[in-house]
Amino acid sequence: MDDLEPLTAGVDELFSGHALDPSLSVTLPPGYAVWPDPSFPQHQGVTGPALWMTEGPAPPGLWARFHAAHAETGLWPLLLDDSAQPWSAGQIAPEPVAEIDAYDPAAFVAEVWAEWFEPPIDLTPFGRYSPGLAPAGRLREDPGVAAERLSAGLAGRPLGLVPAARGADVLAAVGWQGASHHNALTAPLSAVVRGWEDRFGVRVVGLGFDTLELSVAAPPVTFRHALRVAAEHATFCPEVIVQGPGSLAGHAEQIRDARVWSFRWE
């Protein structure tokens, strides 16, 4: 990493209020700020670049170094899939992070469930009535350790840096549109992921055009618990069931003690 530029070169001035401490021993390869498309209605009230990203694949270990420094920098690292799209083209519509507070994960799950007059998946054993949020899991390892392990598995992607207090907030902050056909706004999805951070030690690590990769430090370990979590996954991303096992029970078996939750919207 001898040819990398100092972290503060061209980055700290991009994110007002997120100045970087020159003493941090973190360096960056060449990159640029990503400005969103101002024509999106969600963009109203959001100013400045949505994120900074590297021009090419991030050096190994860079995500982990920024993750460890998040408390000091205020910048959350993301490993961005799908190469330059949609990031470099500005095909993103940031939403004010403050709006995430207006959404309750339990209400989101119940609302989506109630709208399934013809459920796209087998909802056995819950049927027409949402089971609500699953109980919290027990930590099996440190969330940071689980997140860094996943980041190593996603090596070769560009690195994005997002001004955000926590990982869940980056979905709204960067204006990600990957699930727009399922939910017009991203803030409710950020609210759901916030709940998973608190209950399951989830950390946001990877983001693609229509994909999301989360590390999980407190996964469900019993089938009964996993079934409740599967119900939440179904309302968050129906495709994880429809394009997968086709039933909550099948998905529950897949996520028992799983340290990664991967979602793809189609």
Side-chain angles (χ1 to χ4, degrees):
M1 301 177 66
D2 294 338
D3 58 343
L4 302 187
E5 300 175 1
L7 174 63
T8 52
V11 181
D12 49 351
E13 67 265 34
L14 293 176
F15 301 107
S16 177
H18 295 272
L20 303 177
D21 185 343
S23 68
L24 289 173
S25 57
V26 185
T27 52
L28 280 178
Y32 51 92
V34 178
W35 293 78
D37 185 338
S39 66
F40 284 103
Q42 299 98 317
H43 182 65
Q44 302 303 313
V46 179
T47 60
L51 71 155
W52 184 95
M53 68 178 292
T54 60
E55 290 181 357
L62 192 58
W63 186 95
R65 294 170 69 185
F66 267 103
H67 182 253
H70 173 256
E72 300 159 88
T73 66
L75 299 172
W76 188 269
L78 279 175
L79 290 171
L80 302 170
D81 200 6
D82 300 296
S83 187
Q85 294 288 350
W87 325 107
S88 64
Q91 297 171 347
I92 50 178
E95 300 170 28
V97 170
E99 293 187 4
I100 301 172
D101 295 329
Y103 297 95
D104 175 63
F108 176 86
V109 170
E111 181 178 354
V112 174
W113 201 282
E115 291 174 350
W116 282 340
F117 295 107
E118 295 183 4
I121 59 176
D122 180 359
L123 299 179
T124 305
F126 304 116
R128 289 294 309 137
Y129 299 97
S130 165
L133 300 184
R138 293 186 178 182
L139 284 175
R140 306 293 299 279
E141 61 182 322
D142 181 271
V145 172
E148 290 180 16
R149 184 172 60 249
L150 175 56
S151 73
L154 300 178
R157 298 185 179 187
L159 176 79
L161 295 174
V162 187
R166 56 195 295 179
D169 295 359
V170 303
L171 303 183
V174 303
W176 176 69
Q177 299 288 290
S180 59
H181 77 281
H182 172 55
N183 207 75
L185 296 176
T186 306
L189 302 181
S190 281
V192 171
V193 178
R194 277 184 177 182
W196 291 344
E197 287 177 337
D198 296 338
R199 288 179 290 135
F200 301 105
V202 156
R203 297 293 182 267
V204 176
V205 180
L207 194 63
F209 182 81
D210 58 1
T211 60
L212 173 65
E213 286 96 13
L214 308 174
S215 61
V216 189
V221 295
T222 68
F223 176 75
R224 183 187 296 270
H225 192 191
L227 197 59
R228 293 283 299 276
V229 176
E232 292 188 47
H233 285 189
T235 58
F236 182 75
C237 176
E239 287 88 342
V240 77
I241 312 293
V242 175
Q243 303 297 333
S247 68
L248 295 183
H251 185 61
E253 288 291 0
Q254 293 178 333
I255 63 174
R256 286 180 64 182
D257 204 28
R259 306 305 170 88
V260 176
W261 292 347
S262 297
F263 301 95
R264 177 183 293 275
W265 289 260
E266 297 180 356

